[in-house]
Amino acid sequence: MKRYVYINDNESSHELYCDNRISNRKYTVLNFLPKNLWEQFSRFMNQYFLLIACLQLWSLITPVNPASTWGPLIFIFAVSASKEAWDDYNRYLSDKKANEKLVWVVRQGIRKHIQAQDIHVGNIVWLRENDEVPCDLVLIGTSDPQGLCYVETAALDGETDLKTRVIPSACMGIDFELLHKIKGVIECPNPDKDITRFDANLRLFPPFIDNDVCPLTIKNTILQSCYLRNTEWACGVAVYTGNETKLGMSRGIPEPKLTAMDAMIDKLTGAIFVFQIVVVMVLGIAGNVWKDTEARKQWYVQYPIEGPWYELLVIPLRFELLCSIMIPISIKVSLDLVKSLYAKFIDWDAEMIDYETGIPSHATNTAISEDLGQVEYIMTDKTGTLTENRMIFRRCCISGVFYGNESGDALKDTKLLNAVAGSSPDVVQFLTVMAICNTVVPIKSKTGAISYKAQSQDEDALVNAAAQLHMVYANKNANILEIRFNGSVIKYEVLEILEFTSDRKRMSVVVKDCQNGKIVLLSKGADEAILPFAYVGQQTRTFIEAVEQYAQLGLRTLCLACRELREDEYQEWSLLFKEASSTLVDREWRIAEVCQRLEHDFEVLGVTAIEDRLQDGVPETIETLRKAGINFWMLTGDKQNTAIQIALSCNFISPEPKGQLLLIDGKTEDEVCRSLERVLLTMRITSSEPKDVAFVVDGWALEIALKHYRKAFTELAILSRTAICCRVTPSQKAQLVELLKSCDYRTLAIGDGGNDVRMIQQADIGVGISGREGLQAARAADYSIGKFRFLKRLILVHGRYSYNRTAFLSQYSFYKSLVICFIQIFFSFISGVSGTSLFNSVSLMAYNVFYTSIPVLVSVLDKDLSEGTVMQHPQILFYCQAGRFTVSPPFLAFFLLYNRASESEYICWMVWSIFVPCNCCVCDHHTCLCLREK
Amino acid sequence: MDTDRERHRARETAFYLFTQQSLPACKPVLTPGWVIAIFLFMGVIFIPVGLISLRASHCVVEIVDRYDIDCVPEPSRMDKVSYIQDDSIPKNCSHFMKPVPPITWKVSCISPYAEPYTFSSAVITRHYTAVKTATEYVKSRSDKQLLDGQKYHDTSSCQPVESNNNRPIVPCGLIAWSLFNDTFEFIREGAELKVNRKNIAWKSDRGHKFGKNVYPFNFQNGTLIGGGKLNPEIPLSDQEDLIVWMRTSALPSFRKLYGRIEEDLDVDDVVVVNLMNNYNTYSFGGKKKLVLSTSSWLGGKNDFLGHACVFVGCSSLTLAIIFMLLHVKYRRPYGDMSYLPWNRKSFSG
């Protein structure tokens, strides 16, 4: 399905597409009550309580006052409904603010100031600097003569750097005044939530004739909620409006996560319900038999001889009402209450504030704190999670010469400095690639200092390093780049940018030297994406060695390469590229294919090595958590050697004699199968030895293993306490989490970047590190923390306490309900099985609320052990993981009932024995008090 | 400096401590010493308390006399129900009660109770399955009407004894309708023994739950007469028999206070009880008993409290001794890390 947007056509699209009214509201004033009630009543527990409450309205069968159920029920509903209403009202207010914001829109050829909600698809919207974008726009003009503008997309993807956006080539050079009158059609896909793709075409109508269909990409759009920066003005055509924008579409409600404890409580509730039905049936039958045989003789009750048709139902229903108390109505409220307090404790914790950035920890999901205490597997990302993600250029290898090996810092290596000063051509070429083969935007401040806005930390490190080596990337003016080197200015024209994708693992730019007109392809990428494509005859051995050497030091490597292109070769390819870029289907794949045609026969220039330091406290945290019986898996997109190196340096795996690394590799199914079996065998043998065995697998082998040998791999996953998965894609990360979850393990995924989002959402608990790669992960996560080391406190302190407290609270809730219920049941044996309540309604309600619910809430402050003790002996966590309180449901139910039964029997017996022989005691229906003579 | 101090002060506030979960708390550790001490203490407290209660209970003299069978004349014993339901037969009956002290009496209470003792009398009926039985019965009353009388109209809970001849019944409901109506007269040595029938109901009931201006109305006027009738001249708050009756019991067998004998009875005295055996317990196999009992500071005769206290005390003492022995035998230093389960595991394996 496609959408045709007619630019500046005021009427035609009005009915077809919605206006720009943003609505995040779940309810309206009218449908709030029914909709909210419907939602609440879709829960089994609530249905049950409603049924009970309704039955209680029938005065014939109710042993207690209906208020004792209606009261709490209405209270619970009122609390959750008002919470919903409050949230919804706030959403309404923020929507209203956004909807009523005034924007400049072209109407009948004149620019008008109208409310944002009145924008329609096809309208031309004008924005000034620092304006928020009201809907998804296709750029058609900016103040920049080259048609560039800068946007900040922080609200969309959490990345704080500026992104460049450019107007489509067809709109290039249209006069400022004429933009009001522009007509045309944009052919674009139906709204979707992919914020990285916009595969559309633009065709302008006369007089703006341009025969070509102009391809549009995400680069030609500015999306809702972004901010226009560093650009005086920009204007664009609204293509998606209201809730159909990319932001609006991606604003889904994630599926709520259930904790193990919740599932347990649900099961227990079910078990008790079944038990209750049995009790009701047995007692109901007994009651009816009793009534027919004995009770008729009791003249004082005046039983009618012939009762109504429902007579037989009365006693069972009465027992049902009497036993309804078995399922504690208060448990949901109390649990919600204490859980939100756990979350607050996490937010408040002064020891989990990242003082470098001042970001406190935050619990987005308030409902799953106790799961933290039951974590068994932690899947962690490497870059930015274990490491700081602050890239520093450390070493390089240019044409076989190693720089920076002695001092550990190439920037201080006199050899390299001399080579730069001497303008050695290899080095100059290398530095040029470092400086311009990227998507960095240089921004000149008023003092003349240049700062760089880069999307990737690696590019930032390379450009900065190049600048320090006197190759300064000074200015970018549309397609013209300016580089200052040793005092001279070199200009390049950027012809194409072949962007980085995780499949291609490299990025390239095609530039034209403005001095001599030579066209050059500059590439940088992972070693396996560059080195195999070196031209025939080039010796790449030193580079391979360099890559290995650097990887062993835990450095990130990139290979730089270039190739001179012939004019005709470029022209020919350029057409193909243009065509691929304007396809609507499979565009990414097509582009990759076309790029492949250009990216070969490289002249490899050298290898760069970038250091990414470990965060503070990472080794200690991992060691402590491993002692607590938590297994660690590292899932990284990085190279195997780098991953292993980092793993060694952060206690992830032990070095040789104590630890052992098993490799699973292979390119074909057979190879992978063999190596998998070998590893599995070793693993089985060594599982009894106190030896740290870990396996390493790369993305390729993992793909095969998951596809064809899932069973063997699952067994391996269960056996192995540690694993390193390198070169894995985001979806593989999520698959691995899924795999462990399917083995009934509690998993926690921690990561910081957009590539971890899927894994974080998939895991039982997702933890995001609000790091340098943006806030994407932190937003998708259930918990966001500033540093990896806070994970220790999050799990051992908050997780453990929450678990213990919730376990106590839920057990107690069931316990107290069962106790009072069993008293009632036993009482029925001495009250002629007629379903009479021993307690009056007020006492029952007071028992449930004042005596047993509110005081117990204090347990939310209970600490069984001090924080220090838990940190010192993390093994204690084992009791939580094993689910001390969560024995298998049927057994637990039996256990609970058995224990409670004997207890209430005792209480009942006690009541009896006190009062039966009690002289001169007036034993009362409500309370039993002794009346004494004076 | 100032901000530093302020921040410091802020850290000390209770709320900050609460947010950091570090409010001051007492964290007692149940060391063996403490446990033994607590159990010993419980034993020392509970055993004497139990003994004192037992003694008090044993000093109460209680004579229980079942009269429901004896009061039916020999020829009618085959069909007691028709006897009791036949209004034409007088239900008079005489019984003898001799307050012979039980044997234990002499052992346990030597000096203070050798004096002639005061008896109070209580009526005890025993219903086999109690009045309490059915929800229909216990709910068949209107507390509001008892307080406000006919002014209160919503007496639907009183079904099926709500109204008669379209006029409301006060007091309504099955409980009031089935009011106990056996009467007793006590004679000692030919002279009537005065029984005080005042102040037998709870003061709070008389004062707050039964109306001072509410008079019985249209009561027991229906075709089916349940139990006793009420004097329509006396307000409900003074109808103490009714008030006592309206407090239904929780258990099938129960005692209701009838009155107090405020004279001393001697050990050899014989009390003759002239009673009207009106109330029908025969149809459902209930029993009726008359109990004469003295009272102590603890109330009537009730050994349970004493037994329970002695039992708790003894078991606490036993536990204390067991724990003490265990502690002496398997003594171990407090806070020894090597006993932690994971440390122990590594020793064995």
Side-chain angles (χ1 to χ4, degrees):
Chain A
M1 281 295 289
K2 280 177 190 165
R3 162 183 279 218
Y4 294 93
V5 178
Y6 292 91
I7 302 171
N8 241 339
D9 190 343
N10 284 327
E11 275 73 44
S12 69
S13 66
H14 282 200
E15 297 88 47
L16 243 70
Y17 310 118
C18 63
D19 60 10
N20 196 34
R21 192 187 301 270
I22 303 164
S23 171
N24 294 317
R25 282 190 298 163
K26 239 166 112 182
Y27 310 105
T28 64
V29 177
L30 280 179
N31 76 6
F32 174 76
L33 213 58
K35 195 171 172 188
N36 184 265
L37 284 180
W38 174 255
E39 267 174 21
Q40 296 207 39
F41 280 122
S42 42
R43 281 185 60 117
F44 169 72
M45 269 242 220
N46 290 343
Q47 286 167 9
Y48 172 77
F49 287 125
L50 182 73
L51 177 77
I52 296 297
C54 287
L55 279 178
Q56 284 195 341
L57 290 179
W58 189 7
S59 68
L60 179 64
I61 61 166
T62 173
V64 290
N65 193 327
S68 62
T69 305
W70 280 104
L73 193 71
I74 290 174
F75 176 74
I76 289 169
F77 275 69
V79 167
S80 28
S82 40
K83 192 166 153 251
E84 287 274 309
W86 177 248
D87 288 351
D88 213 46
Y89 180 68
N90 281 332
R91 280 193 290 261
Y92 163 73
L93 286 186
S94 69
D95 286 352
K96 194 174 161 197
K97 211 171 134 196
N99 283 336
E100 292 182 352
K101 206 155 80 176
L102 294 175
V103 287
W104 290 104
V105 171
V106 176
R107 280 282 156 86
Q108 277 98 31
I110 307 155
R111 220 187 315 165
K112 279 186 181 162
H113 221 181
I114 63 163
Q115 288 187 350
Q117 56 187 341
D118 296 326
I119 300 175
H120 284 274
V121 169
N123 285 163
I124 294 174
V125 181
W126 289 76
L127 300 167
R128 298 219 202 107
E129 185 166 358
N130 297 332
D131 273 355
E132 191 185 343
V133 182
C135 57
D136 290 357
L137 305 173
V138 166
L139 276 174
I140 52 169
T142 73
S143 57
D144 186 272
Q146 304 299 326
L148 284 181
C149 72
Y150 298 92
V151 286
E152 189 187 295
T153 57
L156 205 59
D157 56 13
E159 292 167 20
T160 48
D161 55 302
L162 296 186
K163 302 218 167 71
T164 39
R165 292 290 187 254
V166 62
I167 63 172
S169 51
C171 303
M172 212 61 98
I174 293 177
D175 194 61
F176 170 72
E177 292 300 322
L178 286 175
L179 281 174
H180 288 193
K181 303 185 179 81
I182 201 164
K183 293 262 180 190
V185 61
I186 296 170
E187 182 191 340
C188 56
N190 270 344
D192 58 31
K193 59 182 174 182
D194 191 348
I195 58 167
T196 59
R197 279 176 57 165
F198 179 72
D199 302 342
N201 287 319
L202 166 74
R203 186 196 297 269
L204 293 180
F205 293 156
F208 307 94
I209 219 71
D210 185 345
N211 283 331
D212 259 357
V213 169
C214 172
L216 299 176
T217 68
I218 200 74
K219 293 230 100 179
N220 306 116
T221 61
I222 44 180
L223 300 181
Q224 190 181 38
S225 83
C226 297
Y227 284 87
L228 190 69
R229 303 274 191 222
N230 288 0
T231 314
E232 205 179 307
W233 59 264
C235 73
V237 180
V239 281
Y240 302 131
T241 49
N243 282 356
E244 291 183 345
T245 59
K246 299 249 180 205
L247 180 73
M249 299 293 283
S250 59
R251 203 189 288 125
I253 303 150
E255 198 145 298
K257 290 179 179 175
L258 265 190
T259 65
M261 195 86 78
D262 287 333
M264 179 70 205
I265 288 171
D266 280 358
K267 277 185 195 161
L268 197 58
T269 310
I272 291 180
F273 182 69
V274 170
F275 174 77
Q276 181 185 328
I277 296 292
V278 171
V279 166
V280 165
M281 273 165 39
V282 169
L283 290 182
I285 291 168
N288 275 326
V289 169
W290 179 269
K291 189 169 150 187
D292 281 343
T293 53
E294 294 296 325
R296 298 232 183 268
K297 295 179 190 160
Q298 293 163 1
W299 54 270
Y300 52 83
V301 188
Q302 289 193 358
Y303 271 123
I305 310 292
E306 198 59 47
W309 59 269
Y310 50 80
E311 203 190 354
L312 280 179
L313 281 178
V314 168
I315 287 178
L317 282 178
R318 232 181 241 161
F319 274 109
E320 172 59 45
L321 292 185
L322 211 55
C323 292
S324 66
I325 205 173
M326 243 188 228
I327 298 173
I329 194 168
S330 59
I331 191 166
K332 190 181 168 277
V333 186
S334 352
L335 283 185
D336 280 357
L337 211 68
V338 295
K339 280 176 176 185
S340 48
L341 200 58
Y342 302 152
K344 271 279 165 243
F345 279 139
I346 293 174
D347 291 358
W348 282 331
D349 197 333
E351 284 178 49
M352 298 215 303
I353 297 174
D354 184 3
Y355 283 107
E356 268 174 50
T357 52
I359 300 174
S361 300
H362 177 59
T364 320
N365 189 341
T366 59
I368 60 167
S369 293
E370 66 263 16
D371 247 13
L372 279 174
Q374 287 194 290
V375 168
E376 287 158 307
Y377 274 88
I378 294 182
M379 326 288 273
T380 168
D381 176 41
K382 184 178 74 70
T383 315
T385 306
L386 299 176
T387 63
E388 276 188 334
N389 203 12
R390 182 173 295 152
M391 308 292 174
I392 302 162
F393 180 78
R394 284 297 183 205
R395 297 170 192 225
C396 61
C397 165
I398 306 172
S399 334
V401 185
F402 287 82
Y403 296 102
N405 272 10
E406 292 84 25
S407 58
D409 188 356
L411 299 178
K412 293 195 182 101
D413 194 324
T414 42
K415 255 196 305 177
L416 181 61
L417 291 174
N418 288 340
V420 173
S423 299
S424 143
D426 283 342
V427 174
V428 173
Q429 184 76 330
F430 185 83
L431 291 180
T432 313
V433 178
M434 267 171 76
I436 63 175
C437 178
N438 51 43
T439 53
V440 174
V441 182
I443 289 174
K444 205 175 253 180
S445 66
K446 288 190 179 95
T447 55
I450 297 166
S451 62
Y452 297 105
K453 286 272 181 189
Q455 287 179 37
S456 102
Q457 297 289 324
D458 294 84
E459 288 187 347
D460 191 51
L462 288 180
V463 174
N464 276 312
Q468 285 187 43
L469 292 169
H470 310 293
M471 178 70 83
V472 184
Y473 176 20
N475 196 9
K476 183 173 187 178
N477 203 338
N479 284 347
I480 309 294
L481 303 177
E482 247 180 61
I483 293 176
R484 283 201 303 259
F485 179 64
N486 283 355
S488 59
V489 176
I490 311 164
K491 283 191 179 173
Y492 286 101
E493 188 190 347
V494 179
L495 298 174
E496 301 289 352
I497 293 179
L498 286 60
E499 291 203 26
F500 178 87
T501 63
S502 47
D503 292 327
R504 289 174 54 231
K505 288 175 183 155
R506 62 176 170 252
M507 69 93 57
S508 310
V509 290
V510 181
V511 293
K512 188 168 159 190
D513 194 328
C514 294
Q515 272 83 24
N516 52 23
K518 271 192 216 160
I519 298 174
V520 197
L521 170 79
L522 305 176
S523 294
K524 73 169 196 294
D527 49 318
E528 80 262 25
I530 297 281
L531 296 182
F533 302 101
Y535 67 86
V536 188
Q538 184 177 22
Q539 287 297 324
T540 54
R541 235 193 40 190
T542 45
F543 297 121
I544 295 172
E545 272 170 20
V547 168
E548 266 171 21
Q549 191 190 336
Y550 293 149
Q552 262 176 19
L553 295 165
L555 301 173
R556 296 159 70 90
T557 56
L558 280 175
C559 292
L560 308 189
C562 69
R563 180 158 79 94
E564 210 167 297
L565 301 178
R566 293 187 312 275
E567 181 75 33
D568 55 333
E569 184 188 5
Y570 168 71
Q571 292 301 347
E572 198 179 309
W573 176 84
S574 172
L575 287 175
L576 284 174
F577 186 67
K578 209 170 228 170
E579 190 195 333
S581 323
S582 59
T583 44
L584 290 182
V585 216
D586 284 340
R587 185 182 283 184
E588 200 175 300
W589 181 80
R590 289 280 304 275
I591 289 178
E593 199 194 37
V594 173
C595 290
Q596 187 77 43
R597 294 193 191 189
L598 205 65
E599 293 169 330
H600 57 84
D601 288 339
F602 286 129
E603 182 194 341
V604 181
L605 296 171
V607 181
T608 60
I610 294 166
E611 186 192 45
D612 187 7
R613 273 201 321 209
L614 277 189
Q615 282 183 21
D616 283 346
V618 167
E620 294 82 358
T621 307
I622 291 183
E623 199 187 330
T624 311
L625 289 177
R626 278 167 58 105
K627 256 198 216 157
I630 297 175
N631 306 327
F632 269 92
W633 281 33
M634 184 199 273
L635 314 180
T636 174
D638 220 331
K639 265 181 300 303
Q640 187 166 316
N641 283 341
T642 319
I644 292 173
Q645 206 51 46
I646 294 282
L648 275 171
S649 64
C650 61
N651 275 345
F652 209 81
I653 46 176
S654 317
E656 251 311 321
K658 207 171 155 256
Q660 191 181 355
L661 264 184
L662 305 168
L663 249 68
I664 301 173
D665 48 13
K667 293 276 172 234
T668 64
E669 259 180 55
D670 282 348
E671 281 170 35
V672 172
C673 177
R674 244 175 286 137
S675 109
L676 189 64
E677 264 161 20
R678 201 178 54 238
V679 169
L680 205 52
L681 206 68
T682 330
M683 207 65 105
R684 284 196 198 116
I685 295 164
T686 51
S687 60
S688 54
E689 293 172 27
K691 202 171 181 185
D692 277 342
V693 187
F695 73 86
V696 185
V697 64
D698 66 357
W700 185 260
L702 187 69
E703 186 78 49
I704 295 172
L706 283 178
K707 211 168 178 183
H708 301 284
Y709 309 104
R710 204 182 166 86
K711 220 176 130 207
F713 190 77
T714 311
E715 197 194 335
L716 184 67
I718 295 168
L719 278 173
S720 167
R721 295 202 54 201
T722 315
I724 299 170
C725 307
C726 35
R727 297 279 184 206
V728 289
T729 59
S731 66
Q732 279 179 326
K733 287 184 181 185
Q735 272 179 2
L736 283 171
V737 171
E738 179 76 65
L739 181 90
L740 285 175
K741 258 173 89 180
S742 69
C743 305
D744 264 347
Y745 287 118
R746 293 267 120 191
T747 53
L748 180 148
I750 178 165
D752 73 320
N755 57 351
D756 305 316
V757 169
R758 286 187 62 186
M759 155 173 102
I760 283 172
Q761 281 170 340
Q762 184 73 54
D764 292 313
I765 305 158
V767 179
I769 292 193
S770 31
R772 295 160 163 275
E773 274 187 43
L775 291 171
Q776 238 176 317
R779 253 173 227 208
D782 302 310
Y783 297 92
S784 66
I785 53 179
K787 287 276 186 299
F788 184 79
R789 63 170 187 273
F790 298 145
L791 192 64
K792 182 163 85 172
R793 201 176 155 76
L794 190 68
I795 290 177
L796 288 181
V797 175
H798 291 287
R800 193 175 162 281
Y801 281 154
S802 308
Y803 179 78
N804 283 347
R805 290 163 184 173
T806 306
F808 170 76
L809 202 73
S810 42
Q811 275 198 319
Y812 186 82
S813 291
F814 280 107
Y815 163 75
K816 58 133 191 192
S817 314
L818 286 175
V819 164
I820 196 148
C821 194
F822 269 88
I823 294 179
Q824 301 269 43
I825 291 176
F826 281 109
F827 179 66
S828 76
F829 293 129
I830 52 173
S831 66
V833 210
S834 70
T836 309
S837 169
L838 175 63
F839 309 100
N840 72 0
S841 317
V842 178
S843 316
L844 270 185
M845 210 146 96
Y847 174 83
N848 268 333
V849 180
F850 297 111
Y851 301 154
T852 57
S853 286
I854 295 170
V856 182
L857 287 183
V858 177
S859 75
V860 74
L861 290 172
D862 184 42
K863 294 169 133 182
D864 55 342
L865 293 168
S866 73
E867 290 166 14
T869 316
V870 184
M871 290 287 206
Q872 262 175 25
H873 304 286
Q875 292 94 331
I876 292 168
L877 192 72
F878 173 74
Y879 292 97
C880 290
Q881 286 169 335
R884 173 161 45 129
F885 303 97
T886 50
V887 207
S888 73
F891 174 73
L892 184 72
F894 172 75
F895 172 80
L896 272 174
L897 295 178
Y898 178 76
N899 267 2
R900 305 323 176 220
S902 45
E903 185 154 331
S904 50
E905 206 170 354
Y906 175 72
I907 294 174
C908 197
W909 172 76
M910 210 167 76
V911 171
W912 190 330
S913 2
I914 290 176
F915 295 112
V916 172
C918 183
N919 243 5
C920 309
C921 258
V922 174
C923 226
D924 158 27
H925 167 39
H926 305 300
T927 44
C928 275
L929 284 176
C930 272
L931 173 75
R932 279 198 278 115
E933 291 93 325
K934 284 164 194 138
Chain B
M1 270 307 278
D2 267 0
T3 53
D4 265 4
R5 206 174 300 149
E6 247 164 55
R7 203 175 301 152
H8 189 70
R9 203 179 306 140
R11 293 198 160 206
E12 295 295 303
T13 60
F15 182 72
Y16 179 80
L17 290 176
F18 168 70
T19 60
Q20 300 307 310
Q21 304 190 58
S22 53
L23 284 171
C26 122
K27 293 165 189 153
V29 179
L30 283 177
T31 55
W34 269 109
V35 172
I36 291 167
I38 289 168
F39 274 122
L40 267 181
F41 180 74
M42 274 168 64
V44 168
I45 294 294
F46 273 95
I47 292 179
V49 168
L51 289 178
I52 291 168
S53 325
L54 268 184
R55 190 184 135 103
S57 164
H58 279 210
C59 292
V60 172
V61 179
E62 192 180 84
I63 306 163
V64 182
D65 178 45
R66 183 171 173 186
Y67 65 87
D68 57 338
I69 298 173
D70 292 346
C71 280
V72 178
E74 210 55 69
S76 305
R77 290 221 177 143
M78 293 306 289
D79 190 3
K80 298 193 202 87
V81 177
S82 54
Y83 161 79
I84 200 83
Q85 283 173 347
D86 190 347
D87 285 340
S88 58
I89 307 171
K91 303 291 172 8
N92 290 5
C93 174
S94 273
H95 240 246
F96 300 94
M97 294 181 90
K98 198 169 184 231
V100 180
I103 297 160
T104 50
W105 181 86
K106 274 190 175 150
V107 184
S108 55
C109 325
I110 299 165
S111 53
Y113 298 98
E115 304 291 316
Y117 40 80
T118 310
F119 261 111
S120 56
S121 67
V123 183
I124 298 97
T125 51
R126 184 184 161 91
H127 295 199
Y128 180 50
T129 31
V131 175
K132 174 73 207 165
T133 309
T135 323
E136 283 85 350
Y137 183 76
V138 282
K139 287 200 312 187
S140 181
R141 62 188 290 163
S142 168
D143 287 332
K144 288 259 174 61
Q145 194 211 43
L146 290 175
L147 187 61
D148 296 335
Q150 292 183 52
K151 276 177 277 173
Y152 186 76
H153 296 292
D154 182 21
T155 53
S156 56
S157 63
C158 284
Q159 281 292 348
V161 191
E162 190 187 355
S163 62
N164 185 30
N165 294 332
N166 288 327
R167 284 187 301 174
I169 296 173
V170 181
C172 71
L174 282 170
I175 303 180
W177 176 76
S178 62
L179 177 66
F180 191 77
N181 59 352
D182 285 6
T183 58
F184 309 92
E185 209 179 54
F186 299 89
I187 293 162
R188 179 178 60 165
E189 291 162 0
E192 190 181 336
L193 198 60
K194 268 193 78 184
V195 177
N196 185 357
R197 308 275 327 269
K198 289 282 162 208
N199 291 337
I200 56 172
W202 292 6
K203 203 177 167 197
S204 58
D205 279 0
R206 277 180 279 144
H208 306 292
K209 302 204 86 173
F210 289 78
K212 288 201 168 45
N213 300 315
V214 180
Y215 295 89
F217 179 75
N218 201 17
F219 186 67
Q220 300 286 25
N221 273 350
T223 45
L224 201 63
I225 310 282
K229 299 190 175 178
L230 293 172
N231 184 352
E233 309 286 297
I234 302 172
L236 286 188
S237 62
D238 289 339
Q239 305 261 17
E240 294 203 39
D241 277 332
L242 175 77
I243 299 176
V244 169
W245 185 252
M246 290 302 282
R247 287 231 162 250
T248 52
S249 83
L251 297 168
S253 72
F254 56 90
R255 296 174 176 202
K256 293 279 181 207
L257 187 60
Y258 180 76
R260 274 189 289 273
I261 300 170
E262 286 173 334
E263 292 167 39
D264 290 349
L265 293 180
D266 285 327
V267 176
D268 300 327
D269 282 346
V270 174
V271 177
V272 179
V273 186
N274 289 327
L275 53 87
M276 299 286 279
N277 182 16
N278 294 327
Y279 201 74
N280 177 10
T281 56
Y282 304 108
S283 61
F284 53 90
K287 297 171 193 156
K288 291 192 282 191
K289 291 175 187 169
L290 183 66
V291 177
L292 290 186
S293 167
T294 60
S295 69
S296 70
W297 55 269
L298 200 62
K301 197 173 182 64
N302 184 0
D303 287 349
F304 177 80
L305 199 61
H307 283 144
C309 286
V310 169
F311 175 76
V312 169
C314 286
S315 35
S316 301
L317 265 188
T318 321
L319 280 175
I321 290 163
I322 292 173
F323 282 147
M324 214 184 295
L325 291 177
L326 284 175
H327 182 52
V328 169
K329 191 155 182 219
Y330 303 104
R331 208 189 179 91
R332 68 181 217 195
Y334 171 62
D336 187 344
M337 299 286 190
S338 63
Y339 283 96
L340 293 171
W342 50 90
N343 290 341
R344 235 181 332 194
K345 211 181 280 169
S346 68
F347 278 135
S348 63

